[in-house]
Amino acid sequence: MAGSPATAAIPGAPAARPGARAWIVLAVLCFVYVLNFLDRQLLSILAKPIQDDLGVSDGQLGLLGGLYFAMFYCILAIPVGWLADRSNRVKVLAFSCGLWSAATAACGVASSYPQLALARMAVGVGEAGGVPPSYAIISDYFPPGTRGTALGLFNLGPPIGAALGVAFGASVAAAYSWRLAFLWVGAVGVVTAVGVWCFVREPRKGGLDPAPARPPASAGTTDASPGFGATFRGFFANPVLRNMALACGATQFVTYALLNFSVLLLMREKGMTLEEVAVWYALVLGIGTAGGMYLSGRLIDRLARRSKTAYAYLPAVGLVLALPLFVGFVWAGSWQLALVFLFLPTGLNYFYLSPAVTLVQEEVRPDQRVLSGALLLLVMNLIGLGFGPTYLGLASDFFRATHPDNSLQMAFYTLVPFYLLAVGMFLLLARSIRRQLAQEASR
């Protein structure tokens, strides 16, 4: 697996141009990712009406959107990734999309907290097979030198999904009920899963990579593919991959905590209504985060050709610039001023994702990409998605006794040290990359 990049483009060489089919497949996979994230974020978007209906606390909401979901999402992504590397990745993706969409619809009929928790766990089970296969499919439709841009465009799925979730979910909840939003989104996902199964073609694994990076001619067989243990050990034995995963986990601790509780903070403590959330917060989230995802993908394609350390320094710079603006968002006394402060951090906070995915996909063999992407997601989502929202919800419950009117605001302030921790982790990653480059140069 890798001591050196398996598919890195030659510095300064022009990138091959992907065909029209590649862009169509990318658009389809991005739409599936939109649904993936929309389903995942509906809970946080509709937190207040759910609280009013089912009587759940901030801590219980944090567990629903964090640990309960992440336990299944992160752990099951590993066997699903191993299976996808040895089978048809498109079929795995389509089946997973159908499963998480059906579970999303089940959230809409939950009449108690335990029922809602079980439905959320089922969403996590389905989503475990969503993103890693897509990473690998895209990497086999787009040649080296264009993957950062392609994966950056694919990673527009979360901001678009989150923005659509805010606009659609809040509007439906305000006009009808929060339950109907879950039912409608689930139905759209099931139809999409059928379309992916029928119309997306499985690409040849490693077909666009330089010849040394391709698996042997017999790689279509199980015997020629690296085993689960070899891929697992290779990932965590590689300091670059290991430190990238940990740095992303530290970053996602902040981003998922922010994403899961921003709407509740804006509504409960800054006076925003569901109708205002559906318009203004949706615009800030969609435009800001999408801009950050796309810009970071374009930048990493350019900067990584000059120096591989760009995979570490670009996310670190983004977080440093985002921190003071995040503090302004938490401090602001009105929702209007809070959204002004929030706009840039929604993009800068996500400067890590496209560099991380691109680095992992180019650092491993083509027939290890799905499992390696799943291992990346295991680490960063177990830390970030599993514990970020859980921590913030419990912190808000802790502050409620002394700060009953602004417990969430106080909890948000405690995320500042985690910003600094994430920056430090990316600087550690930069050192690991420099060491790897020095070792390769000395061979």
Side-chain angles (χ1 to χ4, degrees):
M1 172 136 180
S4 61
T7 61
I10 299 172
R17 296 175 65 86
R21 176 177 288 275
W23 294 107
I24 294 172
V25 170
L26 178 62
V28 172
L29 297 185
C30 186
F31 182 70
V32 174
Y33 202 7
V34 167
L35 293 177
N36 178 296
F37 217 80
L38 198 162
D39 292 1
R40 191 185 312 178
Q41 292 306 123
L42 269 182
L43 181 74
S44 62
I45 295 161
L46 303 176
K48 189 153 192 324
I50 291 173
Q51 279 189 327
D52 294 341
D53 190 1
L54 300 182
V56 299
S57 68
D58 288 355
Q60 289 175 316
L61 275 176
L63 286 168
L64 283 176
L67 192 59
Y68 292 165
F69 178 90
M71 281 191 303
F72 292 89
Y73 176 67
C74 298
I75 295 173
L76 288 178
I78 304 305
V80 171
W82 179 85
L83 173 65
D85 271 330
R86 283 151 181 77
S87 61
N88 189 301
R89 296 164 294 183
V90 171
K91 299 295 192 263
V92 171
L93 173 63
F95 178 82
S96 299
C97 180
L99 179 57
W100 85 60
S101 299
T104 297
C107 292
V109 298
S111 59
S112 66
Y113 180 78
Q115 290 178 5
L116 185 59
L118 287 173
R120 291 297 296 172
M121 292 175 187
V123 173
V125 171
E127 291 194 9
V131 180
S134 296
Y135 287 158
I137 293 168
I138 291 168
S139 295
D140 283 331
Y141 269 104
F142 287 83
T146 66
R147 288 173 182 158
T149 298
L151 290 166
L153 289 170
F154 173 71
N155 285 328
L156 293 179
I160 295 172
L164 285 178
V166 172
F168 173 78
S171 299
V172 171
Y176 302 101
S177 75
W178 63 270
R179 297 180 183 278
L180 195 59
F182 281 99
L183 292 170
W184 284 1
V185 169
V188 171
V190 170
V191 173
T192 301
V194 174
V196 171
W197 184 286
C198 296
F199 299 113
V200 176
R201 182 185 302 171
E202 172 78 359
R204 179 190 169 197
K205 294 178 182 177
L208 298 179
D209 292 318
R214 297 178 188 173
S218 61
T221 66
T222 303
D223 292 340
S225 299
F228 175 89
T231 302
F232 186 94
R233 289 190 299 271
F235 186 96
F236 289 105
N238 186 327
V240 171
L241 297 180
R242 184 177 64 245
N243 288 336
M244 174 60 91
L246 290 171
C248 290
T251 306
Q252 285 201 163
F253 190 97
V254 175
T255 59
Y256 271 115
L258 179 62
L259 198 57
N260 275 265
F261 281 97
S262 288
V263 172
L264 194 57
L265 176 71
L266 289 166
M267 291 183 65
R268 198 170 71 193
E269 299 183 13
K270 299 187 186 295
M272 209 170 186
T273 66
L274 268 176
E275 291 83 0
E276 290 164 342
V277 166
V279 177
W280 300 111
Y281 179 68
L283 286 173
V284 167
L285 191 63
I287 297 173
T289 312
M293 294 282 196
Y294 178 72
L295 180 60
S296 63
R298 293 300 300 268
L299 285 174
I300 203 62
D301 270 344
R302 292 176 178 271
L303 298 177
R305 293 178 188 175
R306 302 176 187 175
S307 173
K308 192 176 177 180
T309 56
Y311 288 112
Y313 286 131
L314 182 62
V317 169
L319 292 171
V320 169
L321 295 175
L323 178 54
L325 297 169
F326 165 78
V327 173
F329 160 71
V330 179
W331 163 83
S334 66
W335 66 262
Q336 293 92 339
L337 182 59
L339 290 185
V340 170
F341 278 115
L342 185 62
F343 180 74
L344 285 178
T346 56
L348 295 169
N349 281 346
Y350 290 93
F351 266 33
Y352 74 96
L353 190 55
S354 295
V357 174
T358 305
L359 176 64
V360 170
Q361 294 297 298
E362 296 199 342
E363 192 76 6
V364 303
R365 287 175 41 139
D367 51 357
Q368 294 177 300
R369 282 179 176 147
V370 183
L371 180 53
S372 297
L375 290 170
L376 172 69
L377 293 177
L378 169 69
V379 176
M380 68 185 195
N381 283 330
L382 194 58
I383 296 171
L385 178 58
F387 295 105
T390 303
Y391 162 81
L392 195 66
L394 294 174
S396 178
D397 284 350
F398 173 80
F399 284 115
R400 187 174 294 278
T402 54
H403 298 80
D405 297 328
N406 64 333
S407 62
L408 258 181
Q409 181 187 44
M410 299 302 298
F412 266 101
Y413 279 128
T414 67
L415 292 177
V416 170
F418 294 100
Y419 261 104
L420 301 176
L421 175 63
V423 172
M425 292 299 298
F426 278 113
L427 296 180
L428 180 63
L429 171 63
R431 186 173 69 175
S432 297
I433 293 174
R434 288 195 298 270
R435 286 179 176 175
Q436 184 190 72
L437 293 174
Q439 291 171 357
E440 293 172 359
S442 65
R443 290 173 184 169

